[in-house]
Amino acid sequence: MKNIAVINGPNLNMLGRREKDIYGTVSLENIRKDLEGTFSGSCRLTFFQSNREGELVEIIQEQYGKVDGIIINAGAYTHTSVAIRDALLAVAVPFVEVHLSNIYAREEFRHRSTLADKAAGVICGFGPAGYEMAVQGLLKILSA
Ligand code: DQA
């Protein structure tokens, strides 16, 4: 069974409470539960969330040799972090970038990602369903 880390960045612990018109009403905890339920028979998912860039780098580094792939919603660090990009490249497994919102329909500073050109795929704009799509896509790549 494949091991997949699902890594979430800053402010995603506020899902369900923050800017509900943009991010919806589902909490990260409920996204985790739904995802684990959906994929319980097909892969092992491990969830992480941190508001700190350095801690996210450490969480990603810790996946070295342990996981087959990574799903990452790096939140605002998506648009700024070379360190998170480098950590993902160091772990050297396929990763999928996820965003709940359609970042291309928002402010211009959100159109740029430091991760996207190295990602196996990018999913945005589908809300919590994007995480499910990301796991499906990653499993497809990993089984090819
Ligand atoms: C986000 C989009 C980012 O621009 C923003 O900073 C977030 C959440 C999303 O899931 O839509 O925190 O990654």
Side-chain angles (χ1 to χ4, degrees):
M1 207 184 263
K2 301 291 183 193
N3 288 307
I4 296 175
V6 184
I7 301 174
N8 293 280
N11 299 307
L12 293 166
N13 56 317
M14 294 290 286
L15 282 183
R17 289 175 287 165
R18 79 183 275 219
E19 297 180 277
K20 290 182 196 162
D21 50 324
I22 297 174
Y23 299 115
T25 53
V26 183
S27 67
L28 191 61
E29 182 57 11
N30 281 332
I31 292 176
R32 182 182 69 78
K33 282 185 190 151
D34 285 352
L35 214 57
E36 283 175 356
T38 305
F39 292 99
S40 61
S42 40
C43 62
R44 263 187 299 270
L45 297 170
T46 315
F47 251 73
F48 303 91
Q49 191 277 328
S50 174
N51 292 322
R52 291 181 288 279
E53 186 176 18
E55 194 174 352
L56 287 163
V57 167
E58 279 165 13
I59 288 166
I60 294 165
Q61 287 179 2
E62 280 159 17
Q63 307 313 310
Y64 184 88
K66 283 194 203 160
V67 297
D68 301 290
I70 293 174
I71 311 278
I72 184 156
N73 183 349
Y77 289 137
T78 305
H79 316 299
T80 60
S81 181
V82 175
I84 289 175
R85 173 193 176 92
D86 287 349
L88 287 164
L89 293 178
V91 174
V93 293
F95 72 89
V96 178
E97 175 181 334
V98 175
H99 302 284
L100 294 142
S101 64
N102 179 357
I103 54 174
Y104 300 102
R106 300 182 63 193
E107 303 95 324
E108 209 165 308
F109 63 83
R110 295 186 205 274
H111 299 181
R112 184 176 163 269
S113 165
T114 61
L115 316 178
D117 64 306
K118 295 295 179 184
V122 180
I123 295 170
C124 73
F126 292 98
Y131 285 83
E132 200 176 314
M133 294 171 183
V135 176
Q136 276 166 359
L138 197 49
L139 287 175
K140 197 127 207 155
I141 288 166
L142 294 173
S143 65

